[in-house]
Amino acid sequence: MGARRFILLGPPGAGKGTQSARLIEALGVPQISTGDLLRAARKAGTELGKQAQAYMDAGQLVPDALVLSLVEERLAREDARTGYILDGFPRNIAQAEALASRGIAVERVVNVVVDSSALLGRLTGRRVCQQCGATYHIQTAPTSREGVCDACGGVVSQRKDDDAAVIANRLEVYHRETSPLIEYYDRRGLLRSVDGLQTADVVFDAVLAALEN
Ligand code: ADP
Ligand code: ADP
Ligand code: ZN
C-alpha cells in the first residue's frame, strides 16, 4: 500500500488538532503539526525556536524558510514513511509549492469550515495540556478536574497566543495568506469541505468520509 498523506486545512480554532488526534488512531499515521513543532523548538530553546518566537506571539506567520526546515526534518523521520496528516501546514501558497516541488503527492485536502464568528469562542476557551498536548475547551470539551489533563494528569493551561488581540491578527493572516489554498487545492481536485460547526464526533465521521471520497 502506498503512503497516505493528508492535509487538514481551516482557520485557527476550526478543530484541526482535535480531528488530527482522532485520525492518528483511525489511520495509523502520525500528525505533523507545524505549530506543535515550533512550540517544541521554543521550549527546547533552539536557535530556530528563538527566531520564531516573536512571530508566533504576534500571531504572524513564521518565515517560510524556518518552517520548511522543520518540516523537512520531520518528514525524513521513519514514522512518516507510511504517510501523515499535515495540520497547520501549508499555510500559504509558497509553502504548498515547496511541498509539491519535493514531489510529495497528497491524497486529499480536508477543509474544515467554521465561520469567523464561532472562532473567537473556540480559541479563547481552548486549553492545552502542557505535558501531552491534549486539547480541551472550557465549554465544549472540559477536563473532568479543572486544570488537570484527563489523559496524563498534566497541567492544562491557555496558550499565550489564544488572546483576543493576537487572535484577531491570526484570523486576518488566515484570510490573507491561508484561505487562497482552498482554491489552490480545489483546482487540483484534492479538496473536500466538511462542516466544522457540528460536534467533534460528527465532524470526525465527515472527515473520514471525505478522506475516502
Ligand atoms: P485548530 O487546531 O484548528 O486550531 P483545535 O482542534 O485546537 O483547533 O480546536 C479549537 C478549540 O475548539 C479547542 O478548545 C477544541 O476543544 C474546540 N473544538 C474543536 N472541535 C470542536 C467542535 N467540533 N465543537 C466544539 N468545539 C470544538
Ligand atoms: P492554530 O491552532 O491557531 O491553527 P498553530 O498551532 O497551527 O495555531 O500555529 C501557531 C502559530 O505558529 C501561528 O500563529 C504561526 O505563528 C506559527 N505557525 C504554525 N504553523 C505555521 C506555518 N506552516 N507557517 C508559518 N507559521 C506557522
Ligand atoms: Zn496531558
Side-chain angles (χ1 to χ4, degrees), residues 11-19 87 122-123 125-127 135-137 140-141 196-200 203:
K16 303 180 297 297
T18 299
Q19 296 304 324
D87 164 9
R122 287 270 185 102
L123 292 168
R126 173 159 65 185
R127 299 292 183 272
T135 298
Y136 299 92
H137 189 281
T140 63
L197 281 173
Q198 312 168 91
T199 64
V203 176

Side-chain angles (χ1 to χ4, degrees), residues 63-101:
D64 292 340
L66 297 182
V67 173
L68 289 168
S69 76
L70 272 183
V71 169
E72 197 68 43
E73 197 180 291
R74 182 63 186 86
L75 295 185
R77 273 169 51 184
E78 176 68 23
D79 69 340
R81 276 181 37 188
T82 53
Y84 38 79
I85 304 147
L86 292 174
D87 164 9
F89 177 90
R91 216 109 150 183
N92 58 27
I93 301 281
Q95 292 180 6
E97 292 284 336
L99 191 64
S101 72

Side-chain angles (χ1 to χ4, degrees), residues 1-31:
M1 200 181 82
R4 306 204 70 189
R5 306 187 193 92
F6 306 107
I7 294 173
L8 283 188
L9 197 62
K16 303 180 297 297
T18 299
Q19 296 304 324
S20 295
R22 296 165 180 235
L23 288 171
I24 292 169
E25 295 201 11
L27 303 174
V29 296
Q31 164 203 25

Side-chain angles (χ1 to χ4, degrees), residues 129 131-134 136 149 151-154:
C129 175
Q131 198 160 290
C132 76
Y136 299 92
C149 178
C152 79

Side-chain angles (χ1 to χ4, degrees), residues 12-13 33 35-36 39 56 91 123-124 126-128 130 135 156-163 167 170:
S33 156
D36 287 348
R39 281 184 290 276
M56 297 173 77
R91 216 109 150 183
L123 292 168
T124 54
R126 173 159 65 185
R127 299 292 183 272
V128 181
Q130 294 307 300
T135 298
V156 170
S157 63
Q158 202 167 9
R159 258 169 58 179
K160 196 175 167 191
D161 59 344
D162 280 343
D163 141 279
I167 289 170
R170 287 157 64 202

Side-chain angles (χ1 to χ4, degrees), residues 34-55:
T34 43
D36 287 348
L37 292 174
L38 287 163
R39 281 184 290 276
R42 286 181 63 165
K43 210 169 173 181
T46 66
E47 190 52 41
L48 189 151
K50 285 176 194 154
Q51 287 172 18
Q53 193 161 325
Y55 298 98

